[in-house]
Amino acid sequence: MIKKQLNPFEIKALITKLISKFTDVKDFDNYVEYIEILDNQQDKKTIAKLLFKELYNLKNDDGSIICFLLERYADKEELTKKLWELLKNNIVSNNVKIVVINFLRGLDTDWQLDSGDEILLG
């Protein structure tokens, strides 16, 4: 059975809807439908690109759904590289940097954070 392939605008709308509806990991079953639609998309790079934009523009301190989806759809090497780019970007908010630092810790990457204050205060 061929699953419908969404265009980038439809993928963006689906991701936005998922992020806006997501309230708690305990309610994960409520979001399986959205995730299955994303799982069925052939263009995972577009999904990852849109998720990075969502992370960059994160307004609250809960990026757990974005991080979960990024880990699911982004290539691990590219994911780590882009997360480090976010950390080093002076324009990125401290909230986003804190989410990124925690995300990097959870990815089991080999990394050292020598100057956390420097990164956060950039």
Side-chain angles (χ1 to χ4, degrees), residues 63-80:
S64 57
I65 188 66
I66 298 171
C67 294
F68 169 79
L69 294 171
L70 275 169
E71 191 168 4
R72 190 174 185 103
Y73 300 118
D75 171 71
K76 187 172 181 177
E77 188 176 313
E78 182 179 342
L79 174 60
T80 304

Side-chain angles (χ1 to χ4, degrees), residues 3-18 34 37-38 41 43 46-47 50 54:
K3 304 289 182 178
K4 182 178 189 250
Q5 295 300 300
L6 304 176
N7 67 45
F9 297 108
E10 292 171 319
I11 294 171
K12 167 77 170 142
L14 182 68
I15 289 171
T16 302
K17 186 184 240 182
L18 176 57
Y34 299 107
I37 294 170
L38 291 173
Q41 300 306 301
D43 187 5
T46 296
I47 295 171
L50 292 167
E54 291 294 329

Side-chain angles (χ1 to χ4, degrees), residues 84 111-119:
W84 274 106
W111 66 290
Q112 299 288 323
L113 191 56
D114 296 330
S115 53
D117 291 342
E118 185 178 302
I119 286 177

Side-chain angles (χ1 to χ4, degrees), residues 3-65:
K3 304 289 182 178
K4 182 178 189 250
Q5 295 300 300
L6 304 176
N7 67 45
F9 297 108
E10 292 171 319
I11 294 171
K12 167 77 170 142
L14 182 68
I15 289 171
T16 302
K17 186 184 240 182
L18 176 57
I19 291 170
S20 68
K21 287 182 173 267
F22 183 82
T23 52
D24 196 322
V25 176
K26 293 181 280 187
D27 300 326
F28 185 79
D29 291 341
N30 298 337
Y31 313 107
V32 170
E33 174 187 344
Y34 299 107
I35 294 169
E36 285 177 350
I37 294 170
L38 291 173
D39 283 349
N40 290 321
Q41 300 306 301
Q42 293 174 348
D43 187 5
K44 303 292 193 256
K45 286 187 180 208
T46 296
I47 295 171
K49 183 178 176 181
L50 292 167
L51 288 167
F52 278 116
K53 285 183 181 178
E54 291 294 329
L55 181 59
Y56 178 85
N57 294 314
L58 185 66
K59 300 295 182 224
N60 57 33
D61 355 349
D62 184 17
S64 57
I65 188 66

